[in-house]
Amino acid sequence: MMRFPTRLMPGADTPLGASWDGLGVNFAVFSANALRIDLCIFDPSGRREIARFELPERTDEVWHGYLPDARPGLLYGYRAYGPYEPLRGHRFNPHKLLVDPYARALHGQLSWSDSLFGYRISSPRGDLSIDRRDSAPAMPKSVVTNDAFNWGDDRLPRVPWDRTVIMEAHLRGLSMRRSELTPVERGTFRALADPQLIDHLLRLGITTLELMPVHAFVKDRFLLERGLTNYWGYNTLAFFAPHAGYLAEGSPHEVRTAIRRLHAAGIEVVLDVVYNHTCEGNELGPTLCYRGLDNAVYYRLVPEDERHLINDTGCGNTLNLSHPRVLQMVMDSLRHWAVDFHVDGFRFDLCSTLGRESYGFDQACGFFDVLRQDPVLSKLKLIAEPWDPGPGGYQLGNHPPGFAEWNDRFRDTVRRFWRGDSLQRGDMAARLSGSGDIFDRRGRRPWASLNFVTSHDGFTLTDVVSYAERHNEANGEGGQDGHSDNYSSGWGVEGPTDDAGILAVRDRVRRAMLATLFLSQGTPMLLAGDEFGQTQDGNNNAYCQDNATAWLDWSLADSQAGRSLVAYVARLAALRRAYPSVRWRTYLYGRRETQPGLTDLAWYGPDGVPMTQDAWNDDHGRVLGVLRSCADTWNGTDTTYLLMNPGGEDADCTLPPVAGSWALLLDSANPSATTGPGQPGGGAEAAMHWTVPAHSVVLLAFTPRSDR
């Protein structure tokens, strides 16, 4: 048992957090408005407080002290003293144990209790009252860590953006139904390091794994009371600590081991991070960390009504990144994951919120400025979810250079085009060519458009072609949660069916959508499980379904249909790698001739005639052809022709009048077709035809006729 001194030594105000130097631990925590902060030490079980010290020094609004002989593994928390004046935005309550915002690990689970709230829940004065019960028994404890790890020769793969293929996955759902793993390993980073899973990613051609939130998060009380839970994890408690439930044996080194093994296979790891809000909710939420340390600084408060929090996130609160210390915390967290865990990039949830100043969204805000000049972070993959529920929150295309952005316009257009909606060819053309109408500004490249047809937020791909309506009854919200307009169709039946004709159409449309995703300029993102037919039975908002609804069903991957679809996705990824014209790194506008008679981009109707304005506006027109021809010094000229037929009948198409021959690369209606020479061309005057099956994509490669 450690012997404690009567008081702490002064210590230092940097770095923030608990830092072990081999002889003891320095504790430093920011609070601008606290009058005193106590450090509480707990026994190894976390159940009993065994020592309490007042932090003896305050430097530049950082409270600090040094505990000699303390070592990694020590459990601790803070209590902050100050005014409890909710009308002025202050909610200090020393009866509430607080997590260190810089905690590298947490011990124990949060146990929901009324004692976690700074006010008496039953009081008629609501949050203006104060609760004096000790919350420590219900709180997780912060842990002093030693981050030393032998990385060996680990290096970030640094996959070029134009060769990047992303898979979005939920860490737990990825492996909970993998039978070859032990129960302890399933749902953890141990499973992420499993060679069979890595082999699956490599076979698919995945270069980058984007993980849904892995920061320590809280399970919402209202969900637990319904028998549900926060499965997705967009409810952060600690921005520096991995979620304890994702560690098989509790060590953060499990995260590092998994990342090192993925890097050895050439696969990048991007984290979905939630810096727009915390798990403390609105003014009626619990006091767990930031609210108790300095509510008036950490959160954006309603001007002249500081009792209430601005809710630009739809989650009750909004972190105040306009304050330098809050911005510092976010940047320190990002550097921690980049430097100490070798993470390859970040996907910023509700990134429009991070770009807000007091007057609204601004590309020149502090967060973007600091991030883009950071010598470490600016070199990583940075991905924005370019919207939030706040005023003016939809900012697709308005993030600064250096960011890729989730492109929901791509998702909606692809779904509507393949559903057969009218007047979609113009939008489809823009999405196929990298959405230059949205992103081609300030020197940005096509990779800035992160293309997806499905993501965690919505239907799986199988459900997009199986359901016209959402079926979220299991979420306990009367089926009213989730997106109401999904641009989906059951193709005659809602949900499962034995009708062979309907199943055949669904399979064709699904393959056509996958082909569109992989054969478009921009960065493709595949939702984990779509490669073998994962379904959520029509639930398009499975945020609270930590069960078989959301866990990947790997038995589907072992079925004949699943193996066939996996092979098809792998083939699409291989085609994308092999043919630069489908993933060209700059925007194509048909203004440059790559070889006689060929421009870099040209659009055609089924008659082989270049699209006219009348054709683009034709309500009945569906078939679209795009010829892309790209040339550079290293790879020579690559020319492909993509034909898309979303209609219910086969389309007899005339190929562009160019001198040369065509070879079939892909027919999505017959994915097992052998790649080989197609119908030869006889010159510009020759009539060349190709039949494109209903609900299908055909990709052809062009070889120019040699001089005779």
Side-chain angles (χ1 to χ4, degrees), residues 315-336:
C315 300
N317 64 61
T318 305
L319 272 178
N320 181 20
L321 268 66
S322 295
H323 192 284
R325 285 296 189 181
V326 182
L327 178 60
Q328 178 190 355
M329 178 187 70
V330 171
M331 299 307 298
D332 286 348
S333 169
L334 290 169
R335 292 189 197 98
H336 171 63

Side-chain angles (χ1 to χ4, degrees), residues 162-181:
D162 66 295
R163 292 181 174 271
T164 297
V165 177
I166 297 174
M167 172 179 279
E168 187 200 25
H170 188 286
L171 177 69
R172 180 170 167 82
L174 197 59
S175 59
M176 283 301 293
R177 301 177 75 178
R178 289 189 70 90
S179 59
E180 74 276 9
L181 300 174

Side-chain angles (χ1 to χ4, degrees), residues 365-545:
C365 73
F367 171 71
F368 291 149
D369 285 348
V370 172
L371 183 62
R372 292 175 61 215
Q373 62 77 42
D374 187 278
V376 174
L377 301 176
S378 63
K379 294 180 174 62
L380 304 182
K381 282 189 164 69
L382 305 176
I383 302 170
E385 182 184 39
W387 49 76
D388 69 22
Y394 189 75
Q395 294 293 335
L396 179 66
N398 292 332
H399 285 67
F403 276 86
E405 301 179 38
W406 273 32
N407 188 351
D408 63 330
R409 290 277 299 278
F410 182 94
R411 175 197 64 198
D412 294 348
T413 298
V414 170
R415 291 187 183 188
R416 295 188 67 185
F417 180 86
W418 287 107
R419 192 172 65 174
D421 292 10
S422 63
L423 294 175
Q424 294 302 305
R425 290 194 293 184
D427 273 353
M428 190 71 258
R431 304 311 140 230
L432 280 169
S433 50
S435 295
D437 56 326
I438 299 172
F439 296 103
D440 190 6
R441 62 189 74 170
R442 300 184 66 186
R444 301 179 77 180
R445 298 294 186 96
W447 59 257
S449 175
L450 197 145
N451 299 333
F452 65 104
V453 180
T454 56
S455 69
H456 71 273
D457 188 5
F459 281 144
T460 68
L461 186 58
T462 291
D463 289 355
V464 168
V465 299
S466 302
Y467 297 90
E469 305 292 340
R470 59 190 167 175
H471 296 270
N472 300 351
E473 291 76 16
N475 295 353
E477 299 179 42
Q480 298 304 303
D481 60 303
H483 299 295
S484 59
D485 195 347
N486 298 280
Y487 304 118
S488 59
S489 174
W491 298 97
V493 172
E494 186 75 357
T497 180
D498 294 326
D499 188 303
I502 291 175
L503 292 173
V505 171
R506 289 178 177 179
D507 286 344
R508 281 197 180 193
V509 174
R510 183 171 55 175
R511 288 195 299 268
M513 288 183 176
L514 286 167
T516 307
L517 175 66
F518 277 85
L519 302 179
S520 295
Q521 279 186 278
T523 304
M525 184 183 78
L526 180 73
L527 176 64
D530 278 352
E531 74 273 19
F532 53 70
Q534 178 73 15
T535 177
Q536 292 177 172
D537 300 319
N539 191 321
N540 75 344
N541 190 32
Y543 77 103
C544 56
Q545 299 295 327

Side-chain angles (χ1 to χ4, degrees), residues 210-332:
E210 180 182 304
L211 295 176
M212 291 173 66
V214 299
H215 291 173
F217 64 87
V218 167
K219 298 176 181 179
D220 304 78
R221 188 179 198 178
F222 78 95
L223 288 174
L224 294 174
E225 290 172 349
R226 289 189 206 159
L228 301 169
T229 189
N230 188 316
Y231 172 63
W232 284 354
Y234 293 93
N235 206 30
T236 309
L237 172 60
F239 295 110
F240 293 75
H243 187 60
Y246 296 161
L247 305 175
E249 296 181 354
S251 172
H253 289 334
E254 296 173 40
V255 184
R256 297 179 173 96
T257 299
I259 291 175
R260 185 176 176 184
R261 288 190 177 177
L262 286 162
H263 282 179
I267 298 172
E268 300 176 311
V269 178
V270 169
L271 299 186
D272 189 343
V273 288
V274 189
Y275 296 111
N276 55 80
H277 75 282
T278 77
C279 64
E280 292 185 309
N282 64 14
E283 62 275 3
L284 299 178
T287 296
L288 309 176
C289 178
Y290 316 93
R291 171 168 288 134
L293 281 170
D294 206 330
N295 182 74
V297 168
Y298 278 102
Y299 295 118
R300 293 189 185 274
L301 306 183
V302 176
E304 301 182 7
D305 185 14
E306 287 83 3
R307 178 182 179 182
H308 299 102
L309 285 73
I310 291 174
N311 185 18
D312 287 334
T313 65
C315 300
N317 64 61
T318 305
L319 272 178
N320 181 20
L321 268 66
S322 295
H323 192 284
R325 285 296 189 181
V326 182
L327 178 60
Q328 178 190 355
M329 178 187 70
V330 171
M331 299 307 298
D332 286 348

Side-chain angles (χ1 to χ4, degrees), residues 8-333:
L8 297 180
M9 297 171 63
D13 61 317
T14 60
L16 291 168
S19 307
W20 179 61
D21 62 6
L23 300 176
V25 176
N26 188 79
F27 295 90
V29 61
F30 160 78
S31 179
N33 293 297
L35 302 178
R36 166 185 160 188
I37 292 183
D38 286 354
L39 170 70
C40 302
I41 306 298
F42 291 83
D43 74 345
S45 72
R47 291 190 290 268
R48 185 167 62 92
E49 184 178 321
I50 56 177
R52 186 181 298 195
F53 304 95
E54 181 178 346
L55 292 179
E57 297 286 337
R58 187 186 188 202
T59 304
D60 295 336
E61 300 181 330
V62 174
W63 301 80
H64 53 92
Y66 184 86
L67 181 59
D69 300 323
R71 291 172 293 184
L74 186 75
L75 306 185
Y76 70 100
Y78 291 119
R79 298 181 189 272
Y81 297 75
Y84 188 82
E85 300 175 355
L87 294 176
R88 296 179 54 216
H90 298 309
R91 296 178 179 270
F92 294 99
N93 186 338
H95 303 285
K96 308 306 166 185
L97 187 76
L98 306 175
V99 166
D100 181 357
Y102 278 69
R104 262 57 171 181
L106 298 181
H107 172 85
Q109 298 290 324
L110 182 139
S111 177
W112 278 106
S113 162
D114 287 355
S115 68
L116 294 172
F117 295 80
Y119 64 96
R120 297 193 306 275
I121 287 183
S122 60
S123 171
R125 299 182 66 233
D127 62 304
L128 297 180
S129 64
I130 186 167
D131 186 282
R132 290 181 169 83
R133 286 173 292 183
D134 183 8
S135 68
M139 283 291 293
K141 310 306 185 291
S142 304
V143 184
V144 177
T145 63
N146 175 13
D147 293 333
F149 180 76
N150 183 2
W151 283 100
D153 59 353
D154 180 76
R155 294 185 180 183
L156 273 61
R158 298 199 182 279
V159 179
W161 269 110
D162 66 295
R163 292 181 174 271
T164 297
V165 177
I166 297 174
M167 172 179 279
E168 187 200 25
H170 188 286
L171 177 69
R172 180 170 167 82
L174 197 59
S175 59
M176 283 301 293
R177 301 177 75 178
R178 289 189 70 90
S179 59
E180 74 276 9
L181 300 174
T182 66
V184 172
E185 293 174 319
R186 292 173 196 156
T188 71
F189 277 96
R190 282 275 189 87
L192 193 64
D194 179 61
Q196 290 188 48
L197 178 59
I198 293 174
D199 286 346
H200 178 74
L201 298 176
L202 291 174
R203 182 186 178 194
L204 288 172
I206 301 300
T207 69
T208 307
L209 186 64
E210 180 182 304
L211 295 176
M212 291 173 66
V214 299
H215 291 173
F217 64 87
V218 167
K219 298 176 181 179
D220 304 78
R221 188 179 198 178
F222 78 95
L223 288 174
L224 294 174
E225 290 172 349
R226 289 189 206 159
L228 301 169
T229 189
N230 188 316
Y231 172 63
W232 284 354
Y234 293 93
N235 206 30
T236 309
L237 172 60
F239 295 110
F240 293 75
H243 187 60
Y246 296 161
L247 305 175
E249 296 181 354
S251 172
H253 289 334
E254 296 173 40
V255 184
R256 297 179 173 96
T257 299
I259 291 175
R260 185 176 176 184
R261 288 190 177 177
L262 286 162
H263 282 179
I267 298 172
E268 300 176 311
V269 178
V270 169
L271 299 186
D272 189 343
V273 288
V274 189
Y275 296 111
N276 55 80
H277 75 282
T278 77
C279 64
E280 292 185 309
N282 64 14
E283 62 275 3
L284 299 178
T287 296
L288 309 176
C289 178
Y290 316 93
R291 171 168 288 134
L293 281 170
D294 206 330
N295 182 74
V297 168
Y298 278 102
Y299 295 118
R300 293 189 185 274
L301 306 183
V302 176
E304 301 182 7
D305 185 14
E306 287 83 3
R307 178 182 179 182
H308 299 102
L309 285 73
I310 291 174
N311 185 18
D312 287 334
T313 65
C315 300
N317 64 61
T318 305
L319 272 178
N320 181 20
L321 268 66
S322 295
H323 192 284
R325 285 296 189 181
V326 182
L327 178 60
Q328 178 190 355
M329 178 187 70
V330 171
M331 299 307 298
D332 286 348
S333 169

